Amino acid sequence: LADHRVGKAFRHLAGRLEGIDLSPKMLDRAKARGVYDELHTGDFETILPTLSHPVDLLLFADVLIYFDDLSSVIRVSSEKLAPGGIVGFTLELPTTQEQNSLDRIPGGWKWRLGASGRNAHNPKYVHELAEKQGFRVAESKTLPKLRREAGETIPGTLMILEKER
């Protein structure tokens, strides 16, 4: 299991648990918890390809909001996952008001950068990327409340992809 910022909740599921984070301080906190077999400093697009073994499960909890184009994320995940492997992640969705504006874009939209500095992603775009990389969308569930920010409810999506066997 390669995990990006999740950790303790998944220790019992993994024969091996590895963590990846850009922040040495976050990794120090993870190390103090004592649940990881190995920790890596850097971005997962760089670290994942260097792992010497295939991975059965990748988790990106509240991480992909900092990426715009997700094609390299989905590609790297597909390359590192074992056949039948799972990648799970959350995505931020635009608010209803933002969605109404985005729906008027000819040809649809893929992502948009919000005032918060985070990206919202169109689930249809992510489904298309996933299928191109050999994933089956096992779950795509709208979360009416991913988080609250400045008194506003931010919706999201929980997505689970399974790599073809």
Side-chain angles (χ1 to χ4, degrees), residues 4-101:
H4 191 277
R5 301 181 87 181
V6 180
K8 191 175 178 180
F10 296 96
R11 173 72 263 184
H12 70 284
L13 298 173
R16 180 168 180 79
L17 182 63
E18 297 189 37
I20 302 169
D21 204 298
L22 291 170
S23 168
K25 288 183 180 181
M26 289 300 291
L27 291 172
D28 287 344
R29 289 173 61 187
K31 185 176 183 179
R33 286 188 280 185
V35 298
Y36 292 92
D37 296 299
E38 193 168 350
L39 295 166
H40 307 274
T41 305
D43 71 87
F44 64 89
E45 291 173 299
T46 302
I47 301 295
L48 273 179
T50 68
L51 299 180
S52 61
H53 51 281
V55 176
D56 296 317
L57 177 63
L58 290 167
L59 300 171
F60 302 107
D62 221 18
V63 172
L64 300 185
I65 57 175
Y66 299 107
F67 291 79
D68 46 28
D69 182 359
L70 296 180
S71 58
S72 66
V73 172
I74 301 295
R75 179 186 47 77
V76 168
S77 296
S78 179
E79 290 170 355
K80 188 43 71 174
L81 278 170
I86 300 287
V87 59
F89 51 88
T90 55
L91 300 171
E92 193 168 290
L93 293 174
T95 64
T96 302
Q97 182 179 3
E98 293 169 326
Q99 182 68 53
N100 292 335
S101 296

Side-chain angles (χ1 to χ4, degrees), residues 121-161:
H121 294 88
N122 185 335
K124 182 180 176 185
Y125 155 73
V126 179
H127 291 185
E128 290 168 1
L129 286 177
E131 289 170 8
K132 287 179 186 174
Q133 289 296 327
F135 285 104
R136 176 182 74 82
V137 178
E139 182 74 44
S140 185
K141 181 177 182 177
T142 299
L143 306 172
K145 182 180 175 183
L146 180 63
R147 76 171 60 75
R148 284 197 54 80
E149 183 174 298
E152 186 177 350
T153 298
I154 307 298
T157 299
L158 170 65
M159 201 168 292
I160 309 290
L161 308 177

